[in-house]
């Protein structure tokens, strides 16, 4: 049985005060309502990581992740944050290769592979994102592109390292648009990814890697999406900023 995971990507949202209240609400609701062993992760903006990590406490049911890290270990990269810094704050997870990073910050496949290596070298668990823009889907090239993204970012790893990766398939046309992939579209792409992992790393490894779906996951569609055989949870944007919605999504997993 693969680990089921629901992760919230807060993106560039919330003030510190809002972040603390959201965390407090989530801790209360999760403690009261969530049973089972679904892994819960929140990914707030960098400046709040330390405060929220302390707020969650060591034995927290909710874990924390960063939304990005730089590929270099240290040095003159003004404004950037390294994987080693995240490690020093005991942040266990880091999102790598989100489509917004690829699109607005021109992150390349090679750079993402370096970020993956930096994260793993520091004991962080990467949540590696892939997914196609609308025009690529319309041209029917989505399978090819997503396989390429996986190859560029992850195929240099050995099987042991691959077992530490979480993949998130996030079709770009479904992010923040209210358009969700149908269950058939989600399952189809998750299976494409899984099979690609089988070809490279073998069945045992491929069957251990959680593949999350992301793109307009909401309380009213989460159950259906999470029922797909190869969907192991979700990476949630907008709905993770509302405690009630996020907790309902967690309960659906
Ligand atoms: P939305 O859930 O807002 O569509 O965002 C998805 C996402 O990008 C999560 O990383």
């Amino acid at each position: 049985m693969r680990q089921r995971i629901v992760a919230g990507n807060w993106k560039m949202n919330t003030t510190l005060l809002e972040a603390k209240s959201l965390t407090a609400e989530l801790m209360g609701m999760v403690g009261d309502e969530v049973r089972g062993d679904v892994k819960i992760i929140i990914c707030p903006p960098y400046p709040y990581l330390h405060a929220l990590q302390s707020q969650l406490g060591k034995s927290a049911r909710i874990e924390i992740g960063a939304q990005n890290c730089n590929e270099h270990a240290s040095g003159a990269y003004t404004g950037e944050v390294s994987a080693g810094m995240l490690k020093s704050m005991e942040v266990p997870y880091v999102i790598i290769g989100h489509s917004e990073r690829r699109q607005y910050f021109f992150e390349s496949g090679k750079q993402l592979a370096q970020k993956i290596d930096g994260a793993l070298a520091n004991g962080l668990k990467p949540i590696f994102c892939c997914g196609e823009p609308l025009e690529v889907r319309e041209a029917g090239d989505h399978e090819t592109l997503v396989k390429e993204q996986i190859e560029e970012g992850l195929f240099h790893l050995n099987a042991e390292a691959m077992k530490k990766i979480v993949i998130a398939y996030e079709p770009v046309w479904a992010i923040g648009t209210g358009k969700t992939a149908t269950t058939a579209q989600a399952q189809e792409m998750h299976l494409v990814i899984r099979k690609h992992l089988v070809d490279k790393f073998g069945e045992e490894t491929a069957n251990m890697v959680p593949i999350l779906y992301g793109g307009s996951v909401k309380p009213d569609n989460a159950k259906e999406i999470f029922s797909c055989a190869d969907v192991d949870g979700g990476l949630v944007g907008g709905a993770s900023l509302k405690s009630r919605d996020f907790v309902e999504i967690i309960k659906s997993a």
Side-chain angles (χ1 to χ4, degrees), residues 1-217:
M1 197 46 189
R2 277 185 297 276
Q3 175 70 56
R4 294 184 82 77
I5 301 173
V6 175
N9 175 9
W10 293 5
K11 308 191 180 182
M12 197 174 73
N13 291 296
T14 72
T15 61
L16 176 59
L17 209 61
E18 287 162 354
K20 285 181 176 173
S21 339
L22 179 54
T23 303
E25 284 167 23
L26 288 174
M27 287 169 76
M29 288 182 191
V30 165
D32 291 344
E33 300 173 37
V34 178
R35 301 290 164 260
D37 64 354
V38 56
K39 195 180 272 301
I40 306 165
I41 305 166
I42 54 171
C43 303
Y46 281 140
Y48 312 151
L49 283 169
H50 191 56
L52 300 193
Q53 177 76 307
S54 312
Q55 189 178 346
L56 289 168
K58 283 259 182 279
S59 63
R61 180 72 180 75
I62 304 173
E63 294 184 84
I64 206 157
Q67 299 172 15
N68 181 30
C69 67
N70 188 273
E71 63 274 29
H72 300 289
S74 63
Y77 302 100
T78 301
E80 289 296 286
V81 172
S82 71
M85 293 174 184
L86 297 176
K87 180 190 181 190
S88 75
M89 294 191 294
E90 298 179 39
V91 170
Y93 289 91
V94 60
I95 298 174
I96 290 177
H98 192 280
S99 62
E100 287 148 19
R101 301 290 323 170
R102 293 178 190 260
Q103 186 182 349
Y104 304 134
F105 303 94
F106 313 106
E107 294 190 353
S108 67
K110 185 166 169 253
Q111 195 180 0
L112 297 178
Q114 291 170 343
K115 291 186 183 212
I116 291 281
D117 290 343
L120 289 174
N122 283 284
L124 303 176
K125 288 171 225 140
I127 302 174
F128 179 78
C129 301
C130 57
E132 78 286 358
L134 184 61
E135 61 277 14
V136 173
R137 175 155 287 259
E138 285 175 346
D141 294 331
H142 43 291
E143 282 194 28
T144 311
L145 178 76
V146 168
K147 280 164 130 178
E148 247 169 50
Q149 291 172 332
I150 300 271
E151 286 162 24
E152 286 170 353
L154 304 174
F155 269 26
H156 64 290
L157 299 176
N158 61 30
E160 278 321 296
M162 188 60 218
K163 288 178 186 164
K164 303 193 173 104
I165 307 284
V166 175
I167 292 178
Y169 169 63
E170 300 202 305
V172 179
W173 46 272
I175 295 178
T177 57
K179 274 191 210 156
T180 324
T182 62
T183 46
Q185 286 171 325
Q187 172 56 23
E188 182 191 30
M189 286 308 290
H190 282 233
L191 194 59
V192 164
I193 296 168
R194 181 94 53 210
K195 283 191 175 149
H196 209 39
L197 297 180
V198 170
D199 290 345
K200 173 72 183 172
F201 300 101
E203 292 267 354
E204 191 221 342
T205 302
N207 284 329
M208 283 178 70
V209 176
I211 307 179
L212 315 183
Y213 170 82
S216 298
V217 177

